[in-house]
């Protein structure tokens, strides 16, 4: 497909009471994408965790779901009252959905996988769009091992492929095992290279997918801090420019309700990138969310004929000047060098010199160059130097000023205001009947 519209979803993590509630929540985003005639829709990392609460039937899980329902903007007075009471009870009982989720993965992981296939296959078929579904912890269809997986569904509802996260975060390690590779998923809208979370920080991942024929990179992420988000955004831009590929980056936002006392807040501005030459401000950004905490849908058009023309006209043709065969030879040489101990390690591991014998000739100490001397400080002399008489036998003493520079004092934290949804999502909500 030479040209189509792509939609990137920025979604908030919730605790739906039923699968139908979660389905209706997803349909809100799909309707917004349909209004823009999108052919590809991308959901964020871990957004699929919202499929787990409806399968948790224990008393503690029900309390936490009522708490989440009472905190929503469109909650009724009764739901807010019940949520307040449930919050107190949940604290007393030390309710923790992370433990419940781990138990669910132990005993009902196949059921979770079945619900995932059914739900997103149905939504893809209804909307007639290719959907990169949100990831969650699922049994890998190849070997049954629990991994952080995302599935790609075609317009007919069929599962076209899955991608597992390879570089796990500390939270991931609670529930799953790492994946083993990255591969391109072929769809109606082209070959997609899906990258989950921190895998985007490794340049080799994007280059591997590009060599496999990826026509677009899809990055789904859940950043638990501003620093993590900044790194992932910079990495997404780098992977895009490294390989001259269109890139969609979708972020999860909002507090993490799976924690007993929510301390983690996911932040991020979802964005759609293109090589710098194809963007209005020459910065690689086609469109980007203006808020790092609100829900919303971004859409823009990808023109692949224009992209291929850029590959041939660019001053550095990264798509053709470094072929897969050349990259294989270069990486093999680099790996051989890595097997040799670096010079610094060799010096540190060298055995000490044996003690000199009494009759041995006296050895001169090795001469040191200026480069071997440690740097203590840097000084700055004032210029011009003080005036001295021509016939002075001694030059004037140089005046030196010393300054100790420490790290800048941290700025006081600014209060962060988290909006529930964007205006567009509110308008879609108004079209639905309010819960009783």
């Amino acid at each position: 497909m030479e040209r189509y519209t792509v939609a990137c979803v920025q979604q908030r993590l919730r605790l739906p009471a039923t699968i139908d509630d979660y389905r209706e929540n997803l349909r809100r985003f799909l309707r917004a994408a349909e209004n823009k005639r999108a052919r590809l829709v991308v959901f964020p990392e871990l957004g699929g965790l919202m499929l787990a609460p409806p399968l948790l039937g224990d008393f503690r899980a029900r309390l936490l779901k009522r708490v989440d329902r009472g905190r929503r903007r469109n909650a009724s007075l009764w739901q807010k009252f019940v949520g307040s009471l449930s919050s107190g009870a949940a604290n007393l009982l030390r309710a923790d959905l992370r433990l419940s989720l781990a138990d669910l993965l132990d005993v009902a992981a196949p059921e979770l996988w079945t619900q995932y296939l059914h739900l997103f296959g149905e939504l893809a078929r209804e909307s007639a769009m290719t959907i990169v579904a949100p990831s969650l912890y699922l049994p890998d269809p190849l070997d049954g091992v629990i991994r952080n997986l995302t599935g790609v569904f075609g317009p007919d509802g069929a599962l076209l492929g899955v991608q597992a996260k390879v570089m796990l975060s500390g939270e991931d390690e609670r529930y799953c095992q790492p994946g083993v590779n990255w591969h391109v998923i072929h769809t109606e809208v082209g070959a997609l290279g899906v990258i989950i979370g921190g895998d985007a920080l490794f340049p080799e991942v994007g280059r591997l997918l590009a060599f496999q024929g990826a026509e677009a990179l899809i990055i789904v992420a859940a950043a638990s801090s501003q620093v993590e988000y900044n790194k992932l955004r910079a990495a997404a831009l780098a992977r895009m420019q490294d390989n001259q590929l269109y890139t969609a980056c979708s972020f999860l936002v909002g507090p993490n309700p799976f924690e007993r006392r929510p301390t983690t807040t996911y932040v991020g501005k979802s964005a759609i990138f293109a090589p710098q030459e194809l963007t209005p401000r020459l910065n690689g950004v086609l469109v980007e969310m203006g808020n790092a905490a609100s829900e919303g849908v971004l859409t823009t058009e990808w023109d692949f004929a224009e992209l291929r023309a850029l590959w041939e006209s660019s001053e550095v043709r990264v798509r053709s000047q470094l072929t897969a065969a050349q990259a294989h030879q270069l990486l093999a040489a680099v790996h051989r060098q890595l097997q040799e101990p670096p010079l610094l390690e060799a010096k540190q591991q060298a055995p000490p010199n044996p003690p000199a014998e009494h009759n041995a000739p006296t050895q001169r100490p090795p001469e040191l160059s200026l480069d071997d001397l440690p740097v203590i400080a840097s000084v700055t002399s004032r210029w011009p130097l003080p005036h001295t008489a021509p016939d002075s036998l001694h030059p004037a003493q140089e005046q030196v000023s010393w300054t100790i520079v420490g790290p800048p004092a941290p700025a006081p934290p600014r209060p962060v205001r988290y909006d529930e949804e964007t205006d567009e999502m509110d308008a879609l909500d108004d079209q639905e009947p309010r819960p009783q």
Side-chain angles (χ1 to χ4, degrees):
M1 189 174 293
E2 289 296 309
R3 177 183 294 183
Y4 64 84
T5 299
V6 58
C8 194
V9 173
Q10 184 162 297
Q11 190 177 19
R12 192 181 183 93
L13 196 58
R14 305 175 186 272
L15 298 179
T18 65
I19 293 180
D20 288 338
D21 289 343
Y22 183 37
R23 182 184 292 107
E24 290 306 313
N25 183 29
L26 293 167
R27 281 174 175 160
R28 296 163 51 241
F29 299 101
L30 294 176
R31 282 196 296 271
E34 285 177 327
N35 291 339
K36 303 295 178 129
R37 298 185 179 181
R39 302 300 301 272
L40 171 65
V41 182
V42 181
F43 286 90
E45 180 187 9
L46 296 183
L49 286 177
M50 289 183 276
L51 189 60
L55 302 181
L56 299 174
D58 60 282
F59 179 68
R60 290 181 174 86
R62 289 198 298 269
L63 284 176
L64 291 175
K65 286 186 280 189
R66 291 172 184 171
V67 172
D68 181 73
R69 175 71 264 183
R71 289 173 176 170
R72 298 183 191 178
R73 177 189 295 181
N74 60 354
S76 64
L77 291 177
W78 172 252
Q79 288 171 334
K80 293 179 180 179
F81 174 71
V82 172
S84 178
L85 293 179
S86 299
S87 177
N91 289 333
L92 289 175
L93 295 175
R94 296 181 178 273
D96 192 340
L97 278 182
R98 291 183 299 181
L99 300 177
S100 300
L101 176 61
D103 293 339
L104 178 66
L105 294 174
D106 285 339
V107 301
E111 181 182 357
L112 192 62
W113 171 249
T114 301
Q115 293 288 349
Y116 184 80
L117 290 178
H118 177 74
L119 174 62
F120 288 100
E122 176 189 6
L123 293 174
R125 187 167 52 252
E126 286 180 1
S127 60
M129 293 186 291
T130 300
I131 295 179
V132 179
S135 79
L136 77 156
Y137 307 116
L138 291 168
D140 194 316
L142 296 179
D143 54 15
V145 175
I146 302 297
R147 294 191 169 95
N148 187 347
L149 288 178
T150 185
V152 180
F153 294 82
D156 59 352
L159 177 67
L160 303 178
V162 298
Q163 177 61 57
K165 188 176 183 179
V166 178
M167 307 300 175
L168 300 184
S169 65
E171 185 69 16
D172 292 328
E173 292 174 351
R174 291 174 173 267
Y175 308 106
C176 68
Q177 299 296 319
V180 294
N181 58 15
W182 298 270
H183 58 274
V184 166
I185 300 175
H186 295 275
T187 73
E188 184 186 67
V189 294
L192 305 180
V194 180
I195 304 175
I196 304 178
D199 290 1
L201 299 175
F202 297 85
E204 298 82 359
V205 178
R207 187 51 54 93
L208 173 64
L209 292 171
F211 283 146
Q212 292 181 15
E215 296 175 294
L217 297 179
I218 308 298
I219 299 177
V220 297
S224 58
S225 68
Q226 185 68 35
V227 172
E228 184 180 3
Y229 158 67
N230 289 342
K231 292 191 293 184
L232 289 172
R233 183 186 185 276
L237 282 167
R239 302 296 80 77
M240 173 274 298
Q241 198 65 49
D242 287 346
N243 304 286
Q244 288 188 326
L245 290 173
Y246 287 126
T247 300
C249 193
S250 176
F251 280 95
L252 189 71
V253 296
N256 182 6
F258 282 81
E259 295 178 327
R260 186 169 67 88
R261 293 181 178 177
T263 57
T264 301
T265 298
Y266 295 109
V267 297
K269 294 181 180 180
S270 300
I272 301 176
F273 302 133
Q276 293 181 1
E277 298 89 336
L278 304 182
T279 56
R281 298 184 179 180
L282 304 179
N283 60 356
V285 180
L286 286 173
V287 61
E288 187 170 30
M289 284 288 291
N291 192 303
S294 297
E295 291 185 320
V297 178
L298 294 173
T299 59
T300 192
E301 189 177 70
W302 283 348
D303 188 338
F304 289 90
E306 189 179 29
L307 180 65
R308 285 192 291 271
L310 174 66
W311 293 349
E312 300 301 326
S313 63
S314 179
E315 65 277 5
V316 179
R317 297 184 300 277
V318 298
R319 303 285 302 184
S320 58
Q321 288 184 316
L322 181 62
T323 64
Q326 292 171 329
H328 176 75
Q329 295 176 357
L330 291 174
L331 290 176
V334 170
H335 290 164
R336 284 195 298 269
Q337 292 178 354
L338 292 176
Q339 293 176 358
E340 301 175 0
L343 181 60
L344 181 60
E345 290 185 7
K347 288 183 178 180
Q348 293 177 347
Q349 296 176 0
N353 294 328
E357 298 181 358
H358 294 289
N359 297 329
T362 303
Q363 298 181 355
R364 296 180 59 188
E367 297 181 358
L368 297 177
S369 66
L370 291 178
D371 293 336
D372 294 328
L373 295 175
V375 177
I376 299 177
S378 62
V379 297
T380 303
S381 62
R382 296 178 180 174
W383 190 265
L385 295 176
H387 176 72
T388 57
D391 57 348
S392 175
L393 297 178
H394 301 286
Q397 184 179 3
E398 183 180 3
Q399 297 183 8
V400 180
S401 62
W402 295 80
T403 304
I404 301 176
V405 180
R414 297 181 178 179
V416 181
R417 177 177 177 267
Y418 295 104
D419 297 327
E420 181 72 5
E421 297 168 351
T422 59
D423 294 339
E424 183 177 15
M425 303 309 297
D426 287 340
L428 291 173
D429 276 344
D430 294 337
Q431 300 174 8
E432 302 174 5
R434 296 291 185 181
Q436 301 297 326

